[in-house]
Amino acid sequence: DAVWLTGSHLSWDESARTFAFAPLPPGEYRLAALTHVPFPDSDATGYSGEWWQEASTSSDATDIVLDPGQTVSGLDFDLAPAPRLSGTVRDSDGEPVEGVWVTLLDPDGRNADNWFTPSLQHTEAAQTAADGTWELRAAPPGEWVIEF
């Protein structure tokens, strides 16, 4: 079972662009850079998230094994700029439509929130603004279907 470490377990140094975890118990861990939950004053949402060692899913991620008292460093991420999808929803008269949900689906029509990928979590849907515009940030590269 996964244990999500957030808040007091994690610290971020924006000027050095480094992270650190509070002491963790021995065990196996998987590490992901989740760009949908930026730290205050961070521009992290401009990048695609990933699992450590550039894995795209948790099942492909490499386990990090911690022994008692061990410190591990060098768990670096090289995040790619996030692709963005955007557009405008208009009615048959060409007028913008506010409040329409735009959803990102895989080619089989499954909603993207049915599985976990770091870059897609919380970016799979957007609601149109008053001018009908919408934007999906940090959409991962690949083939997708947009549903209104």
Side-chain angles (χ1 to χ4, degrees):
D1 293 327
V3 175
W4 297 100
L5 301 175
T6 59
S8 63
H9 295 288
L10 181 65
S11 62
W12 171 252
D13 182 335
E14 181 68 26
S15 61
R17 314 239 357 125
T18 60
F19 64 90
F21 290 98
L24 299 172
E28 293 183 5
Y29 295 86
R30 292 191 179 167
L31 185 62
L34 303 176
T35 60
H36 69 280
V37 186
F39 288 86
D41 304 320
S42 172
D43 59 359
T45 56
Y47 296 91
S48 291
E50 66 182 36
W51 290 90
W52 182 56
Q53 293 188 323
E54 300 180 8
S56 58
T57 66
S58 62
S59 60
D60 294 333
T62 301
D63 288 337
I64 300 165
V65 179
L66 291 179
D67 294 324
Q70 181 181 14
T71 297
V72 177
S73 62
L75 302 175
D76 299 327
F77 289 91
D78 292 319
L79 301 180
R84 294 175 186 235
L85 302 171
S86 63
T88 304
V89 176
R90 300 182 186 278
D91 65 19
S92 60
D93 295 325
E95 296 298 316
V97 180
E98 180 179 12
V100 174
W101 281 100
V102 179
T103 306
L104 190 64
L105 305 174
D106 75 4
D108 294 325
R110 293 180 301 211
N111 189 303
D113 66 2
N114 287 338
W115 66 92
F116 175 76
T117 59
S119 60
L120 196 56
Q121 194 74 344
H122 297 290
T123 62
E124 69 277 354
Q127 194 169 26
T128 58
D131 63 357
T133 60
W134 58 270
E135 179 181 54
L136 294 172
R137 300 177 61 162
E143 185 175 335
W144 300 97
V145 175
I146 297 173
E147 177 181 75
F148 297 90

